[in-house]
Protein backbone atom coordinates (compact mmCIF):
# COMPACT_ATOMS: atom_id res chain seq x y z
CA UNK A 1 0.00 0.00 0.00
CA UNK A 2 1.77 3.12 -1.24
CA UNK A 3 -0.42 5.33 0.96
CA UNK A 4 0.99 3.92 4.21
CA UNK A 5 3.45 6.02 6.22
CA UNK A 6 7.05 4.99 5.59
CA UNK A 7 7.92 5.13 9.28
CA UNK A 8 6.32 3.88 12.47
CA UNK A 9 7.41 4.86 15.97
CA UNK A 10 6.51 4.04 19.54
CA UNK A 11 3.85 6.45 20.80
CA UNK A 12 5.34 8.48 23.63
CA UNK A 13 8.73 6.97 22.94
CA UNK A 14 11.85 8.26 24.64
CA UNK A 15 15.57 8.27 24.00
CA UNK A 16 16.98 4.86 24.78
CA UNK A 17 13.82 2.89 23.96
CA UNK A 18 15.68 1.26 21.04
CA UNK A 19 12.42 0.82 19.16
CA UNK A 20 13.12 -1.12 15.99
CA UNK A 21 16.15 -2.97 17.35
CA UNK A 22 14.28 -6.16 16.51
CA UNK A 23 11.91 -6.60 13.56
CA UNK A 24 10.07 -9.41 11.76
CA UNK A 25 7.44 -9.63 9.06
CA UNK A 26 4.75 -12.12 8.03
CA UNK A 27 2.42 -11.13 5.21
CA UNK A 28 1.13 -7.65 6.04
CA UNK A 29 1.88 -8.05 9.76
CA UNK A 30 5.04 -6.44 11.14
CA UNK A 31 6.58 -7.11 14.56
CA UNK A 32 8.86 -4.60 16.27
CA UNK A 33 10.73 -4.63 19.56
CA UNK A 34 11.95 -1.85 21.86
CA UNK A 35 14.07 -3.56 24.55
CA UNK A 36 15.08 -0.29 26.20
CA UNK A 37 11.53 0.97 26.75
CA UNK A 38 10.39 1.82 30.26
CA UNK A 39 13.90 1.70 31.74
CA UNK A 40 14.75 -1.61 30.12
CA UNK A 41 11.54 -3.50 30.89
CA UNK A 42 11.03 -3.52 27.13
CA UNK A 43 8.15 -3.39 24.69
CA UNK A 44 7.03 -5.24 21.57
CA UNK A 45 4.14 -4.92 19.15
CA UNK A 46 2.62 -6.28 15.98
CA UNK A 47 1.28 -3.66 13.58
CA UNK A 48 -0.78 -4.06 10.43
CA UNK A 49 -2.19 -1.67 7.80
CA UNK A 50 -5.71 -0.40 8.40
CA UNK A 51 -7.32 2.59 6.72
CA UNK A 52 -4.03 3.88 5.35
CA UNK A 53 -2.30 3.75 8.73
CA UNK A 54 -0.19 1.29 10.71
CA UNK A 55 -2.34 0.05 13.60
CA UNK A 56 -1.23 -2.11 16.53
CA UNK A 57 -2.98 -5.47 16.67
CA UNK A 58 -1.13 -6.41 19.88
CA UNK A 59 1.39 -4.66 22.10
CA UNK A 60 2.93 -5.50 25.46
CA UNK A 61 5.58 -4.39 27.94
CA UNK A 62 7.89 -6.52 30.02
CA UNK A 63 6.92 -6.74 33.71
CA UNK A 64 7.32 -3.40 35.47
CA UNK A 65 10.71 -3.01 37.11
CA UNK A 66 12.04 -6.25 35.62
CA UNK A 67 14.65 -4.75 33.29
CA UNK A 68 14.34 -7.92 31.24
CA UNK A 69 14.75 -6.26 27.80
CA UNK A 70 11.47 -7.64 26.48
CA UNK A 71 11.56 -7.09 22.71
CA UNK A 72 15.28 -7.65 22.22
CA UNK A 73 14.26 -10.25 19.62
CA UNK A 74 10.95 -10.91 17.86
CA UNK A 75 9.67 -13.53 15.44
CA UNK A 76 6.40 -13.71 13.56
CA UNK A 77 4.42 -16.31 11.63
CA UNK A 78 0.82 -16.06 10.41
CA UNK A 79 -0.49 -17.32 13.77
CA UNK A 80 2.37 -17.00 16.30
CA UNK A 81 4.25 -14.01 17.70
CA UNK A 82 7.27 -14.63 19.93
CA UNK A 83 9.23 -12.07 21.96
CA UNK A 84 12.65 -12.58 23.51
CA UNK A 85 13.55 -11.17 26.95
CA UNK A 86 17.22 -12.10 27.43
CA UNK A 87 17.76 -10.20 30.69
CA UNK A 88 14.83 -11.85 32.48
CA UNK A 89 15.59 -13.33 35.89
CA UNK A 90 14.11 -16.80 36.34
CA UNK A 91 13.78 -17.62 40.01
CA UNK A 92 17.24 -17.15 41.49
CA UNK A 93 18.90 -17.41 38.06
CA UNK A 94 19.81 -13.85 37.07
CA UNK A 95 19.63 -13.03 33.35
CA UNK A 96 18.72 -16.59 32.48
CA UNK A 97 16.38 -15.16 29.87
CA UNK A 98 12.97 -16.15 28.58
CA UNK A 99 10.62 -15.79 25.65
CA UNK A 100 6.91 -15.03 25.49
CA UNK A 101 4.40 -16.33 22.97
CA UNK A 102 1.15 -14.96 21.54
CA UNK A 103 -1.35 -16.72 19.30
CA UNK A 104 -3.54 -15.08 16.69
CA UNK A 105 -7.25 -15.86 16.84
CA UNK A 106 -9.80 -16.25 14.09
CA UNK A 107 -10.80 -12.57 14.25
CA UNK A 108 -7.20 -11.41 13.86
CA UNK A 109 -6.60 -10.53 17.52
CA UNK A 110 -3.65 -11.83 19.52
CA UNK A 111 -3.67 -13.52 22.94
CA UNK A 112 -0.67 -14.06 25.19
CA UNK A 113 -0.26 -17.74 26.06
CA UNK A 114 2.67 -17.53 28.47
CA UNK A 115 6.36 -17.20 29.03
CA UNK A 116 8.89 -19.99 28.61
CA UNK A 117 12.31 -20.34 30.24
CA UNK A 118 14.82 -23.20 30.08
CA UNK A 119 18.04 -21.21 30.26
CA UNK A 120 20.75 -21.02 32.90
CA UNK A 121 21.92 -18.07 34.97
CA UNK A 122 23.59 -15.52 32.73
CA UNK A 123 22.76 -17.46 29.56
CA UNK A 124 20.46 -14.76 28.12
CA UNK A 125 17.93 -17.09 26.50
CA UNK A 126 15.83 -15.15 24.00
CA UNK A 127 18.67 -12.99 22.71
CA UNK A 128 17.79 -14.27 19.23
CA UNK A 129 14.71 -15.95 17.74
CA UNK A 130 13.86 -17.61 14.43
CA UNK A 131 10.47 -19.12 13.62
CA UNK A 132 9.03 -21.29 10.88
CA UNK A 133 5.46 -22.55 11.09
CA UNK A 134 5.20 -23.90 14.65
CA UNK A 135 8.93 -24.34 15.19
CA UNK A 136 10.89 -21.75 17.14
CA UNK A 137 14.68 -21.63 17.43
CA UNK A 138 15.87 -19.66 20.47
CA UNK A 139 19.44 -18.50 21.08
CA UNK A 140 21.18 -18.49 24.48
CA UNK A 141 24.58 -17.11 23.44
CA UNK A 142 26.05 -16.57 26.91
CA UNK A 143 25.29 -20.05 28.29
CA UNK A 144 28.12 -22.14 29.72
CA UNK A 145 30.59 -19.32 30.13
CA UNK A 146 29.76 -17.85 26.75
CA UNK A 147 30.03 -21.10 24.80
CA UNK A 148 26.38 -20.57 23.92
CA UNK A 149 23.40 -22.75 23.14
CA UNK A 150 20.36 -22.94 20.90
CA UNK A 151 17.01 -24.51 21.73
CA UNK A 152 14.28 -25.74 19.42
CA UNK A 153 10.66 -25.60 20.57
CA UNK A 154 7.51 -26.63 18.73
CA UNK A 155 4.26 -24.76 19.36
CA UNK A 156 0.79 -25.71 18.18
CA UNK A 157 0.00 -23.26 15.37
CA UNK A 158 -3.67 -23.12 16.34
CA UNK A 159 -3.51 -22.76 20.12
CA UNK A 160 0.10 -21.66 20.60
CA UNK A 161 0.61 -24.34 23.25
CA UNK A 162 4.14 -25.69 23.65
CA UNK A 163 3.99 -29.28 22.41
CA UNK A 164 7.68 -30.21 22.15
CA UNK A 165 11.03 -29.06 23.51
CA UNK A 166 13.81 -30.40 21.31
CA UNK A 167 16.53 -28.60 23.27
CA UNK A 168 19.37 -28.27 22.92
CA UNK A 169 20.61 -27.92 19.35
CA UNK A 170 24.32 -27.56 19.94
CA UNK A 171 27.33 -29.14 18.23
CA UNK A 172 30.05 -30.83 20.27
CA UNK A 173 33.23 -28.93 20.99
CA UNK A 174 31.82 -25.51 21.83
CA UNK A 175 34.15 -23.43 24.00
CA UNK A 176 33.76 -20.44 26.28
CA UNK A 177 33.50 -17.29 24.21
CA UNK A 178 32.10 -18.94 21.07
CA UNK A 179 28.68 -17.30 21.69
CA UNK A 180 26.88 -19.94 19.64
CA UNK A 181 23.28 -18.78 19.22
CA UNK A 182 24.04 -15.10 18.73
CA UNK A 183 22.28 -15.24 15.36
CA UNK A 184 19.73 -17.72 14.02
CA UNK A 185 17.81 -18.47 10.86
CA UNK A 186 15.21 -21.18 10.33
CA UNK A 187 13.42 -22.12 7.12
CA UNK A 188 11.51 -25.38 6.72
CA UNK A 189 14.02 -28.18 7.32
CA UNK A 190 17.16 -26.04 7.46
CA UNK A 191 18.59 -23.95 10.27
CA UNK A 192 21.78 -21.89 10.59
CA UNK A 193 23.25 -20.88 13.95
CA UNK A 194 26.08 -18.34 14.20
CA UNK A 195 28.98 -18.50 16.67
CA UNK A 196 30.82 -15.23 15.98
CA UNK A 197 33.16 -15.51 18.98
CA UNK A 198 34.64 -18.85 17.94
CA UNK A 199 38.41 -19.11 17.38
CA UNK A 200 39.45 -15.66 18.62
CA UNK A 201 36.30 -14.14 17.11
CA UNK A 202 37.07 -15.42 13.62
CA UNK A 203 33.65 -17.02 13.92
CA UNK A 204 31.76 -19.98 12.52
CA UNK A 205 28.25 -20.85 11.40
CA UNK A 206 26.62 -24.23 11.82
CA UNK A 207 23.99 -25.74 9.54
CA UNK A 208 21.35 -28.09 10.91
CA UNK A 209 19.13 -30.17 8.64
CA UNK A 210 15.97 -32.12 9.42
CA UNK A 211 16.53 -35.63 8.08
CA UNK A 212 14.00 -38.43 8.65
CA UNK A 213 12.51 -36.54 11.57
CA UNK A 214 15.82 -35.80 13.31
CA UNK A 215 17.83 -32.57 13.29
CA UNK A 216 21.39 -33.35 12.25
CA UNK A 217 24.30 -30.91 12.40
CA UNK A 218 26.50 -30.54 9.35
CA UNK A 219 30.14 -29.47 9.45
CA UNK A 220 30.67 -25.83 10.38
CA UNK A 221 31.00 -23.44 7.46
CA UNK A 222 33.48 -20.60 7.41
CA UNK A 223 35.25 -18.31 5.01
CA UNK A 224 38.06 -19.75 2.90
CA UNK A 225 40.50 -17.40 4.63
CA UNK A 226 39.55 -16.72 8.23
CA UNK A 227 41.06 -13.99 10.37
CA UNK A 228 40.66 -13.32 14.06
CA UNK A 229 38.09 -10.67 14.79
CA UNK A 230 35.97 -11.14 11.65
CA UNK A 231 32.99 -12.33 13.75
CA UNK A 232 31.75 -14.58 10.99
CA UNK A 233 28.28 -15.72 12.07
CA UNK A 234 27.20 -12.48 13.74
CA UNK A 235 24.23 -12.47 11.34
CA UNK A 236 22.81 -15.39 9.34
CA UNK A 237 20.01 -16.16 6.90
CA UNK A 238 19.04 -19.36 5.10
CA UNK A 239 16.53 -20.31 2.40
CA UNK A 240 15.56 -23.99 2.23
CA UNK A 241 14.14 -23.75 -1.29
CA UNK A 242 17.38 -22.60 -2.89
CA UNK A 243 19.48 -24.23 -0.13
CA UNK A 244 21.43 -21.01 0.04
CA UNK A 245 22.80 -19.16 3.07
CA UNK A 246 24.40 -15.81 3.72
CA UNK A 247 26.63 -15.25 6.74
CA UNK A 248 27.60 -11.82 8.02
CA UNK A 249 31.15 -11.00 9.09
CA UNK A 250 31.09 -7.40 10.41
CA UNK A 251 34.74 -7.46 11.46
CA UNK A 252 36.03 -8.50 8.03
CA UNK A 253 39.32 -6.80 7.22
CA UNK A 254 39.23 -4.01 6.23
CA UNK A 255 36.69 -3.46 9.04
CA UNK A 256 33.94 -2.34 6.71
CA UNK A 257 32.50 -5.86 7.12
CA UNK A 258 31.32 -8.38 4.55
CA UNK A 259 28.69 -10.97 3.73
CA UNK A 260 29.73 -14.45 2.61
CA UNK A 261 27.46 -16.53 0.41
CA UNK A 262 27.25 -20.33 0.59
CA UNK A 263 25.20 -23.13 -0.75
CA UNK A 264 24.43 -25.84 1.76
CA UNK A 265 27.16 -28.05 0.31
CA UNK A 266 29.62 -25.54 1.87
CA UNK A 267 30.87 -24.21 -1.47
CA UNK A 268 31.87 -20.65 -0.67
CA UNK A 269 30.62 -17.99 -3.05
CA UNK A 270 32.25 -15.04 -1.25
Amino acid sequence: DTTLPLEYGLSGGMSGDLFGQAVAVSGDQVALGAPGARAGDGYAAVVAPLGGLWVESVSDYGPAGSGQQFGAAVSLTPTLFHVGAPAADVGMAAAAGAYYSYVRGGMGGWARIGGFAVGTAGGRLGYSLAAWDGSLLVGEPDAAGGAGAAHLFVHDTGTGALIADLSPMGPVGLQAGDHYGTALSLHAGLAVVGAPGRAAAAGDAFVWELLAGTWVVRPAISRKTVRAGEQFGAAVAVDATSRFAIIGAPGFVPPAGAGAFFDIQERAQN
Side-chain angles (χ1 to χ4, degrees), residues 129-161:
L129 302 174
W132 175 259
D133 198 20
S135 297
L136 178 69
L137 193 56
V138 184
E140 188 188 3
D142 291 344
H151 307 264
L152 183 66
F153 302 92
V154 181
H155 287 260
D156 185 283
T157 56
T159 67

Side-chain angles (χ1 to χ4, degrees), residues 101-218:
S101 297
Y102 302 74
V103 63
R104 190 179 186 187
M107 301 299 292
W110 295 87
R112 181 165 163 172
I113 57 173
F116 304 90
V118 298
T120 56
R124 295 180 58 80
L125 179 85
Y127 179 88
S128 52
L129 302 174
W132 175 259
D133 198 20
S135 297
L136 178 69
L137 193 56
V138 184
E140 188 188 3
D142 291 344
H151 307 264
L152 183 66
F153 302 92
V154 181
H155 287 260
D156 185 283
T157 56
T159 67
L162 180 64
I163 57 178
D165 176 358
L166 306 182
S167 306
M169 278 179 64
V172 298
L174 291 176
Q175 299 180 3
D178 285 354
H179 297 296
Y180 174 87
T182 295
L184 309 166
S185 183
L186 176 65
H187 185 213
L190 284 175
V192 177
V193 182
R198 193 169 173 85
D204 265 333
F206 295 84
V207 175
W208 290 80
E209 187 165 13
L210 185 60
L211 298 173
T214 300
W215 285 94
V216 177
V217 66
R218 301 175 62 90

